[in-house]
Amino acid sequence: SAVKEAPPAGSSPGATIPGNDEAAAWTKKRQAKAATALQEANRLRTLYTEDPVSARAPETRRQEALALITAAQAGDESQAERLAALVDIVRQDAALPETARCEVVARRSYQQAKLGRLKTEAERFAAIERIERSLTVEFPSAPNGYEALYRLALYSDDTQGRALATDVAGVEKA
């Protein structure tokens, strides 16, 4: 799952604060990241639309979805419909390994959850747990969700962490 960069105090994606050079520089950096990601997504789409039956087409679509997610994380939601449709295609593409499909769904879920905007650590942990549990249900053979839940258990308080780890491991309480 991607780590989201925090904006300088008082700033928001896509907006600059007059007289605040740090915030303006941060915004410019995010806009450049989004533009680069959109450019890459468009390049990838061209590759598989020129040869849709290529054995590489599923992986190229997956990479396009990841590039669009990166753009959205950087604040550019202009391709939201395209991204939603592409995530649905990748999610169901049996030509891709389950772990690869899970990665796309996880990154999109985290991007949509906007964890950085949640006020408390408890809210963030609860959102992460919901996302990762849904991944274990949808992609039971992929280790992604289970690994994240174990990491979450490590960073939780003793009681909550033990309960989560025990639940994920499927161990009966003595």
Side-chain angles (χ1 to χ4, degrees), residues 101-115:
R101 292 183 288 132
C102 183
E103 176 191 13
V104 170
V105 173
R107 290 227 11 233
R108 177 61 171 162
S109 296
Y110 275 95
Q111 183 268 321
Q112 288 177 312
K114 299 183 186 331
L115 297 178

Side-chain angles (χ1 to χ4, degrees), residues 19 22 27 48 57 92 94 98 105 116-117 131 133 147 155 163:
E22 186 179 323
T27 299
Y48 73 78
Q92 298 171 26
E98 192 169 90
V105 173
R117 294 186 183 162
I131 290 168
R133 283 188 183 277
E147 290 171 353
Y155 292 105

Side-chain angles (χ1 to χ4, degrees), residues 11-31:
S11 66
S12 63
T16 59
I17 299 170
N20 189 334
D21 293 338
E22 186 179 323
W26 178 83
T27 299
K28 187 175 183 178
K29 180 180 172 184
R30 300 266 302 186
Q31 289 170 339

Side-chain angles (χ1 to χ4, degrees), residues 98-100 102-103 106 132 135-136 142-149 151:
E98 192 169 90
T99 54
C102 183
E103 176 191 13
E132 298 301 341
L135 293 174
T136 63
N144 313 44
Y146 302 104
E147 290 171 353
L149 287 169
R151 280 192 306 276

Side-chain angles (χ1 to χ4, degrees), residues 72-140:
Q73 287 172 325
D76 187 331
E77 295 278 349
S78 66
Q79 300 296 307
E81 288 180 28
R82 173 181 169 193
L83 175 55
L86 196 54
V87 168
D88 286 341
I89 290 168
V90 169
R91 169 182 256 139
Q92 298 171 26
D93 192 340
L96 288 167
E98 192 169 90
T99 54
R101 292 183 288 132
C102 183
E103 176 191 13
V104 170
V105 173
R107 290 227 11 233
R108 177 61 171 162
S109 296
Y110 275 95
Q111 183 268 321
Q112 288 177 312
K114 299 183 186 331
L115 297 178
R117 294 186 183 162
L118 297 176
K119 303 263 187 257
T120 67
E121 185 176 277
E123 289 175 323
R124 285 187 293 279
F125 273 35
I128 292 168
E129 184 177 354
R130 276 191 307 276
I131 290 168
E132 298 301 341
R133 283 188 183 277
S134 72
L135 293 174
T136 63
V137 170
E138 185 172 356
F139 304 104

Side-chain angles (χ1 to χ4, degrees), residues 149-150 152-166:
L149 287 169
Y150 273 120
L152 187 62
L154 288 173
Y155 292 105
S156 297
D157 65 51
D158 286 345
T159 304
Q160 188 178 17
R162 186 174 293 115
L164 182 57
T166 300

